[in-house]
Amino acid sequence: MDLKDIAILDAEDVARWAPYADLVDALAAGHLEAEPAMRRVVYGPDGADENFMALPAWFQGEAIGVKLVTIFPHNTAAGLPTVQALVVLFDGATGEPMALIDGTELTYRKTACDSALGSRLLSRDDSSTLLMVGAGGLSRHLIAAHRAVRPSIERVLVWNRTRARADEVVGEIGHDVTGAVVDDLERAVGEADIISTATMTIEPVVQGKWVRPGTHLDLVGAYLPDRREIDDDVVLRSEIFVDSRLSTLTEGGDLVIPIRAGLIDESAVLADLYELCSGRHPGRSGPDAITMFENGGGGHLDAMAARHVLHASRRSSVSRPD
């Protein structure tokens, strides 16, 4: 093995080769393939807020992707990303390493496009108001990805416990839509057509009694069993969809907590992205349905995104004139 043959793609490369609309299409196409063999390892020292995750996915005969990611919530105070990662891509036919990719930028874009794919399949076509709950590093990507699949969005509302960070996010939205910071979360939830949450909270911030019929909820932040962004009422009122049952039914508190409490069982999940993308499930039942999409992630999504970035960079190198 010659290390010079391994493609090394940094954050700028990922941003260049994975514009949101293109990556959403790549994830949709990936869900029409056979499901890969997957594992999910999440752990950390007892009592610590920090976590380490290893997410391998094996697409037999084509590619093996492994994401190594750290989640350090207190990094925000030091001006560092809370999520940092590397993705390694191997050839699925020979086992040779093919690429080492900046996993932080890839994670942001993959996560946002995972949510956007869910929205494209589940939210109403005429959705015009997006509410972003949380103003961390992922929020900017979620807003951009949702807008990429729903050009009908005319207004973006941002709520965050620390208003200054919400002001920063709104300031970066652009002038082609109306952006506003909101302090009254209940009112904002009642006005939104799409609600995206990325908060890492333990106590629910969105209450079901606030949500109006026809709303789509995109839930991203509850990545551990003790974290929860929505209350029981949201779960009971919603048609429930997930990106992957492996992550959302074993790790994400939005579903794990009500399942353990006996409020619902696993059959409450109507479909995952494989079933939605293939058309095996039609999605929302009607315009007044409340749809809930739990974004739990998974190594298969990171591998799909990494393949897309690597192939796009290779195509550019081949087509570039000498």
Side-chain angles (χ1 to χ4, degrees):
M1 180 186 68
D2 191 336
L3 292 178
K4 296 194 297 294
D5 295 330
I6 300 175
I8 298 178
L9 303 173
D10 62 18
E12 291 185 1
D13 294 321
V14 173
R16 181 183 303 115
W17 305 123
Y20 300 103
D22 289 355
L23 185 53
V24 170
D25 287 342
L27 294 181
H31 283 90
L32 298 178
E33 303 174 15
E35 295 188 40
M38 290 186 284
R39 293 288 185 272
R40 183 177 176 89
V41 178
V42 183
Y43 72 97
D46 290 341
D49 291 332
E50 298 83 9
N51 285 277
F52 173 80
M53 302 172 68
L55 304 172
W58 190 321
F59 295 83
Q60 190 171 9
E62 185 183 349
I64 304 167
V66 184
K67 184 169 80 168
L68 306 174
V69 56
T70 57
I71 303 170
F72 279 55
H74 302 297
N75 275 3
T76 302
L80 296 172
T82 57
V83 178
Q84 300 178 87
L86 289 171
V87 175
V88 185
L89 202 61
F90 298 85
D91 189 302
T94 66
E96 296 175 284
M98 295 191 296
L100 180 64
I101 303 174
D102 181 284
T104 304
E105 183 70 18
L106 190 77
T107 296
Y108 280 143
R109 288 180 176 262
K110 175 271 302 182
T111 303
C113 290
D114 180 8
S115 287
L117 177 56
S119 180
R120 188 169 78 178
L121 294 163
L122 296 169
S123 67
R124 298 191 334 267
D125 293 344
D126 62 349
S127 297
S128 62
T129 298
L130 168 66
L131 169 62
M132 184 69 238
V133 180
L138 180 58
S139 62
R140 298 157 173 83
H141 296 276
L142 284 165
I143 291 169
H146 276 290
R147 290 185 60 202
V149 300
R150 282 285 175 256
S152 57
I153 293 173
E154 300 173 345
R155 186 170 62 142
V156 178
L157 309 176
V158 180
W159 178 90
N160 192 62
R161 287 193 174 94
T162 305
R163 184 184 173 94
R165 295 185 65 190
D167 285 331
E168 292 176 8
V169 172
V170 168
E172 297 174 10
I173 289 175
H175 302 293
D176 52 338
V177 295
T178 300
V181 176
V182 293
D183 296 313
D184 187 338
L185 182 57
E186 178 179 353
R187 179 176 177 179
V189 167
E191 295 176 359
D193 300 302
I194 300 171
I195 302 168
S196 184
T197 62
T199 63
M200 295 188 181
T201 184
I202 293 177
E203 295 297 327
V205 292
V206 175
Q207 297 184 31
K209 63 183 179 182
W210 301 344
V211 181
R212 62 188 171 101
T215 302
H216 173 67
L217 294 106
D218 164 46
L219 308 174
V220 185
Y223 67 96
L224 290 173
D226 66 340
R227 301 181 189 273
R228 195 177 189 192
E229 298 187 298
I230 54 170
D231 67 3
D232 288 345
D233 199 26
V234 173
V235 174
L236 291 174
R237 294 186 63 199
S238 297
E239 297 178 348
I240 301 173
F241 301 89
V242 300
D243 57 356
S244 168
R245 286 179 171 83
L246 175 62
S247 58
T248 57
L249 294 178
T250 59
E251 295 290 344
D254 284 333
L255 291 178
V256 168
I257 291 172
I259 287 174
R260 288 178 177 172
L263 187 70
I264 59 171
D265 59 31
E266 294 185 3
S267 67
V269 175
L270 299 180
D272 62 18
L273 280 180
Y274 281 99
E275 294 160 313
L276 287 167
C277 289
S278 67
R280 284 176 281 162
H281 193 284
R284 69 166 44 239
S285 62
D288 291 331
I290 296 171
T291 52
M292 166 183 156
F293 179 75
E294 189 71 20
N295 179 333
H300 63 307
L301 294 161
D302 297 295
M304 290 176 191
R307 285 188 310 172
H308 172 73
V309 171
L310 178 60
H311 293 165
S313 68
R314 285 177 169 174
R315 287 195 298 270
S316 175
S317 298
V318 169
S319 62
R320 185 182 302 144
D322 294 332

